[in-house]
Amino acid sequence: MIPGARLVLLGRQGAGKGTQCVRMARHYVVPHISTGDMLRMAVKEGTDFGRKAKEFMDAGELLPDDVMCGIVRERLAREDTTNRGYILDGFPRTVGQADELASIAREGGQPVDLVVDLEVPEDIVIQRISKRRMCVDCQTNYSVDSPPRYDWTCDNCGGEVLQRDDDTEEAIRHRLEIYSEQTSPLIEWYSERGLLVVVDGLGHPDDVTQRLIRDVDHRTRRIVG
Ligand code: AMP
């Protein structure tokens, strides 16, 4: 990937975006910006905003576009992203958010370089989400099939590893419905703008990482060349 590139990752809940974004951010040495992680941090801090956000999240609802766009606008103005680019995970999730991201990018003279759709079918993500676990402190992802080394204690920070509050069957179903109604139109939206690459998210996480890096390198080289 070209230095300072700006990348967006799309994909259903449970497609592996969080895990793969952490790996890619490490590989390319760019900030990983996850709106879900930012919101979970606010929930943990117990702010008024965090309490309100938790109601939306536990119900599997999206927070309003203006709230999310404000958060992302502020985050993208920070020096680390203006210098080094970013990998954006969980935003945009609606056409309104994609429009706003395009204006933020235009105003800053820093357009999004590439949008990856990490493709995993719905029946597989439902299985994956039911097995998903997360560190309550640093938000590292685990699964029942690949747990932390010691007794559901995070390998990274020693925090407790639990199921997410919003990974209930009802909330998952609702989030997937919202994904197909409101987020999946972005695949076409970005494809029309020549920014989309679709990457198969099935298989072992290490294989998916290799596939992602290969395709991102290939496409961002073409942008530069
Ligand atoms: P995630 O970890 O990306 O699955 O996000 C968890 C929850 O945070 C979502 O189900 C939404 O309630 C909320 N959320 C995260 N990103 C956004 C966004 N871009 N727009 C609206 N709500 C969001």
Side-chain angles (χ1 to χ4, degrees), residues 134-218:
M134 182 184 261
C135 171
V136 295
D137 290 330
C138 73
Q139 315 208 22
T140 296
N141 279 306
Y142 294 93
S143 136
V144 169
D145 296 335
S146 115
R149 276 192 294 268
Y150 178 70
D151 196 24
W152 296 103
T153 301
C154 180
D155 292 339
N156 198 30
C157 75
E160 198 178 0
V161 175
L162 297 174
Q163 188 158 34
R164 277 170 50 168
D165 287 346
D166 59 348
D167 278 351
T168 61
E169 203 182 317
E170 200 185 347
I172 293 168
R173 209 169 295 284
H174 191 50
R175 275 149 68 209
L176 287 169
E177 266 166 32
I178 293 182
Y179 182 86
S180 51
E181 282 162 19
Q182 300 200 45
T183 309
S184 70
L186 293 180
I187 294 168
E188 175 110 25
W189 198 91
Y190 281 116
S191 169
E192 283 165 0
R193 285 158 182 79
L195 289 172
L196 189 80
V197 60
V198 179
V199 176
D200 178 6
L202 287 175
H204 192 281
D206 294 349
D207 297 332
V208 177
T209 310
Q210 274 191 4
R211 230 175 270 151
L212 276 164
I213 289 172
R214 185 196 59 205
D215 290 2
V216 168
D217 282 350
H218 180 68

Side-chain angles (χ1 to χ4, degrees), residues 28 30 43 50 61 75 89 93 113-114 130 147 171 192 208 220:
Y28 292 119
V30 294
V43 171
E61 296 286 351
R75 180 65 187 86
D89 163 12
R93 264 177 150 103
D113 295 299
L114 190 65
S130 66
E192 283 165 0
V208 177
T220 51

Side-chain angles (χ1 to χ4, degrees), residues 13 35-36 39-40 56-57 61-63 68 90-91 93 97 164 166 175:
Q13 291 77 4
T35 47
L39 294 173
R40 278 183 290 276
F56 282 91
M57 294 163 81
E61 296 286 351
L62 294 183
L63 274 79
M68 293 311 299
F91 185 97
R93 264 177 150 103
Q97 293 181 10
R164 277 170 50 168
D166 59 348
R175 275 149 68 209

